[in-house]
Amino acid sequence: MQLFIEQVLNGIGNGVVYGSVALALVLIFRTTGVLNFAQGEMALFSTYISWKLTTTGMPVVGAIAISMAIAFIAGAAIERTLIRPMEGRSPLNVVIITLGLFLGLNSLAQLVFGVDPQQMPSPFPEGSVELISGARIQKETIGLIVVLLLECLALWYLLNRTSLGLKLRAVAANPDSARLHGIRAGSMLMLGWGLSAAIGALAGSLVAAERTRFDSTLMQTILVYALASAALGGFASIWGAVIAGLVVGIADALTIQYVDALDGIEVVLPLAFILVVLVVMPNGLFGKRTVERV
């Protein structure tokens, strides 16, 4: 039983990571209506900036805050220069651009920062806490959970309890109608990309700090699981993405521990589970069904 609990805790640790990146994906989808396949590599580049700042002696918290600010500006600039010109055209054009960004940012990160593995200091204390069952949970995992919950609360409040959040959602739902109501759609789209990039920078830096070493492949597998988590939870639900991230992480950890099969089965089974759920519930576990007039 203790082994099972420990694997669940390991899964929660990974699931928090998946949920953090899924949160950035859901945010940009809810505020701009775009699925950003370059989200992971944008987070990777910001993570390298955080790491580089820590090598100058800057405290890790300050380094992450600065990288988030830089990521916000860069995300807004990407929307303005690359995404905005595609407005009104086929959604496939935007998908191709984000895939190009995925490849370009990864190559640029290797060119600027090198390919050698690097070590990112952690903002959380070392050690673990023993639970009643005898299993232990890392303090770093507890810190990640707290940060993720704070992110969710802040974003939920922004999108559901502020006029700015209402404007962001209005532009994502129907930019033309939003403009007729006096909303500056372009500014809202830039803001959505900027916020998503900043959240991705935070997620990437915390992921790198959790790992012993990180390199340019840091976010690639994580992005796959994050996309699966966002799809499972429903791209319209912030809390759904987080809960689904935990489900994916736990399923992954239990599969590795208890399923003795071919290499890579730990990826196949959780994703197969997600596929089954989406066949039954196409909008995800927490997604909202939309009705359109013909």
Side-chain angles (χ1 to χ4, degrees), residues 110-133:
Q110 295 181 52
L111 181 64
V112 174
F113 300 104
V115 296
D116 296 331
Q118 307 295 344
Q119 185 173 11
M120 178 77 179
S122 175
F124 304 115
E126 297 180 354
S128 60
V129 176
E130 184 174 354
L131 303 179
I132 298 177
S133 61

Side-chain angles (χ1 to χ4, degrees), residues 196-224:
S196 177
I199 290 176
L202 175 60
S205 298
L206 294 180
V207 169
E210 186 190 31
R211 308 296 169 90
T212 305
R213 298 277 180 175
F214 78 96
D215 57 20
S216 59
T217 64
L218 172 69
M219 301 300 296
Q220 293 177 5
T221 302
I222 292 175
L223 180 64
V224 174

